[in-house]
Amino acid sequence: MLYLLLTPFADTFQVFNLFRYITFRTGGAVVTALIVAFVIGAPLIDWLRSKQGKGQPIREDGPQTHLLTKKGTPTMGGFIILISFGIAALLWGDLANLYVWAVLIVTFGFGAIGFSDDFAKVTKQKTDGLSGRARLMLEGFIAAIGTVLVMYASWSSNPEGIPFGQTFQGAVLSGGDFSSVAMPLFKDVLIPLGPAFLIFAMLVIVGAGNAVNFTDGLDGLAIVPVMIAAATFGFITYLVGNSVFASYLQVNFVPGVGELAPLLGAILGAGLGFLWYNAPPARVFMGDTGSLALGGMLGMTAVAAKHELVLAIVGGLFVMEALSVMIQVAVFKATGKRVFLMAPIHHHFEKLGWQESTVVIRFWIVAVIFAMAGLATLKLR
């Protein structure tokens, strides 16, 4: 909003020229979201506690310490993140950019699905909310809308129809045929998916949303890796949205996608503000309201930036958590035996006797390692 309102006056008032710089607006988004989260956090938590009574129901088959330490803690703390993010994104984002709207639609759409799930859990006092099939259908529908929007944004930024992978303004263009998937580490390897790209993108977005959802099980466990991934993709979107940097790094240039950096900065600021209240012992849980929204946003960002496979590296911790659940379910159905003491895998380590804080901090370290590996793919080609 500030970009659209103030940049027309940049030639008259030089100070307004700052709003043309993505880096300046990204910093502004971080600070704005952080301040808003601090301001609304405590009152919102008190309100959630007054409305939820017993708070989020705790799994009876989970670690026994959770029944004592987490019982009565309110959920839906994702509202702190979404409100802070939304205000910062609207203030500092370029609202004329279709990539921005695609990410906003997916983020708040997934957040609405998560809220419905949290609301059902709180009102019924059961650990299961919406049915899995209903959730996946709604998530897939919203992911499809976001994907179609970024495909249109890519086409509109490349009306000449220069094919994906060809040079444009000194950089390799990601336009025209947006349905190809770039391979990390290989600058010339593209996998054309054609119409199947829509399904692929939906899987990336829905998978990311649910992977972050699986990770959200301990105080501070999900939000810090999300911030690490958001900061990483903020850097990636800035680079691939700049023809000079994209040419130097030999990555696919996506005109306009750099405008997602302020939104990812807003997630970083909102996440820091939320962590103030989610740090052990947590005063509030983000719930599906936050975890689905954050995961969906990361997935949509990766699709827009044409770094879908890099997301699997940067978000390796989330992939690990999701795989642990899928492996546990598949093996148990086939053999009646368990691979892990409990899934998702962070509970497995709790069952082994690790303290909750030990699991959380070590998983943060793992998230940093995955993020560095993902960034390395930008240069190792």
Side-chain angles (χ1 to χ4, degrees):
M1 185 181 297
L2 293 176
Y3 173 79
L4 296 178
L5 290 175
L6 300 180
T7 52
F9 302 100
D11 294 334
T12 306
F13 303 97
Q14 193 171 7
V15 67
F16 291 154
N17 194 51
L18 285 171
F19 291 89
R20 288 175 172 167
Y21 292 94
I22 292 175
T23 49
F24 174 75
R25 287 186 284 117
T26 299
V30 173
V31 174
T32 300
L34 178 60
I35 292 173
V36 173
F38 279 149
V39 170
I40 69 172
L44 186 55
I45 291 170
D46 291 339
W47 183 79
L48 289 172
R49 183 178 290 110
S50 68
K51 295 296 181 181
Q52 293 181 16
K54 298 180 180 179
Q56 176 173 302
I58 307 299
R59 291 173 58 178
E60 294 184 358
D61 60 340
Q64 293 302 304
T65 54
H66 289 200
L67 296 174
L68 299 175
T69 60
K70 302 184 184 301
K71 189 174 182 180
T73 304
T75 186
M76 301 186 198
F79 278 125
I80 299 174
I81 301 171
L82 290 177
I83 294 171
S84 306
F85 162 75
I87 292 173
L90 292 176
L91 280 176
W92 297 99
D94 178 5
L95 301 185
N97 186 291
L98 292 178
Y99 292 114
V100 168
W101 283 108
V103 169
L104 290 175
I105 288 170
V106 169
T107 303
F108 286 100
F110 274 44
I113 296 170
F115 166 73
S116 299
D117 201 43
D118 286 336
F119 185 79
K121 291 176 183 177
V122 171
T123 54
K124 296 178 182 178
Q125 278 300 300
K126 295 182 179 180
T127 55
D128 54 334
L130 293 177
S131 68
R133 179 175 296 181
R135 274 180 47 156
L136 289 175
M137 288 180 63
L138 290 170
E139 290 165 10
F141 176 71
I142 294 171
I145 294 175
T147 301
V148 171
L149 196 55
V150 298
M151 292 177 72
Y152 178 77
S154 175
W155 173 83
S156 62
S157 66
N158 177 28
E160 296 88 354
I162 300 173
F164 179 84
Q166 290 191 11
T167 302
F168 176 73
Q169 293 183 352
V172 179
L173 187 68
S174 172
D177 180 16
F178 195 77
S179 60
S180 295
V181 177
M183 293 291 293
L185 306 180
F186 301 97
K187 64 179 182 179
D188 296 323
V189 178
L190 299 170
I191 303 175
L193 296 182
F197 177 78
L198 178 61
I199 303 299
F200 170 76
M202 290 167 60
L203 290 174
V204 170
I205 298 166
V206 172
N210 286 280
V212 174
N213 183 237
F214 287 136
T215 308
D216 181 33
L218 302 177
D219 297 351
L221 177 59
I223 190 60
V224 171
V226 164
M227 289 190 292
I228 293 169
T232 303
F233 265 93
F235 188 55
I236 290 173
T237 55
Y238 178 73
L239 294 176
V240 301
N242 185 296
S243 61
V244 175
F245 293 135
S247 178
Y248 172 72
L249 294 169
Q250 298 183 348
V251 295
N252 295 292
F253 171 44
V254 188
V257 83
E259 286 296 337
L260 294 182
L263 271 65
L264 291 156
I267 287 294
L268 180 59
L272 284 170
F274 174 76
L275 183 61
W276 183 268
Y277 302 102
N278 188 237
R283 291 177 57 186
V284 68
F285 302 140
M286 74 165 69
D288 293 358
T289 305
S291 59
L292 276 180
L294 294 172
M297 182 197 184
L298 291 175
M300 186 72 261
T301 300
V303 171
K306 300 307 299 172
H307 276 66
E308 301 93 346
L309 299 183
V310 172
L311 177 61
I313 302 173
V314 173
L317 177 67
F318 306 130
V319 174
M320 183 176 72
E321 293 273 15
L323 284 177
S324 70
V325 174
M326 291 188 285
I327 291 171
Q328 184 88 320
V329 171
V331 172
F332 186 78
K333 286 184 176 180
T335 66
K337 298 181 180 179
R338 302 179 189 274
V339 176
F340 305 102
L341 296 177
M342 187 178 178
I345 197 169
H346 55 261
H347 290 317
H348 171 80
F349 289 105
E350 280 193 290
K351 291 281 191 177
L352 287 177
W354 290 20
Q355 294 294 318
E356 179 177 347
S357 58
T358 302
V359 176
V360 169
I361 294 174
R362 287 178 177 173
F363 274 42
W364 289 352
I365 295 170
V366 171
V368 171
I369 293 171
F370 277 126
M372 291 190 296
L375 282 175
T377 64
L378 292 175
K379 190 57 183 170
L380 300 177
R381 291 176 182 266

